Amino acid sequence: MLDVHASHESIHTWKGFFIHIAIIVIGLLIAISLRDRRVFPSSPVVAETREAFGASGRQHPALR
């Protein structure tokens, strides 16, 4: 997993502040756009995993 850290210097100008906010907004837009994207929708592994989790939920309804 990629670790992302904020810069160690503090923001002293409005320009720096708006750049910081713009980076956050761009990251959120990317995350929202990729949230519902399906990379391998027809993969048999995905179907098998969904079926296994569904069966597990039916066997243990208290875990929901």
Side-chain angles (χ1 to χ4, degrees):
M1 174 158 230
L2 178 67
D3 290 332
V4 180
H5 302 280
S7 63
H8 296 285
E9 57 194 54
S10 61
I11 299 173
H12 293 291
T13 64
W14 284 107
K15 179 182 175 183
F17 172 76
F18 286 121
I19 289 173
H20 187 74
I21 296 299
I23 292 170
I24 292 171
V25 169
I26 290 169
L28 287 173
L29 290 174
I30 291 170
I32 290 169
S33 68
L34 294 177
R35 179 181 60 182
D36 295 327
R37 188 178 185 100
R38 302 205 183 255
V39 179
F40 302 108
S42 60
S43 172
V45 175
V46 172
E48 181 180 322
T49 304
R50 285 186 181 148
E51 185 176 321
F53 278 120
S56 174
R58 286 189 295 276
Q59 292 173 355
H60 305 287
L63 295 177
R64 291 184 186 188

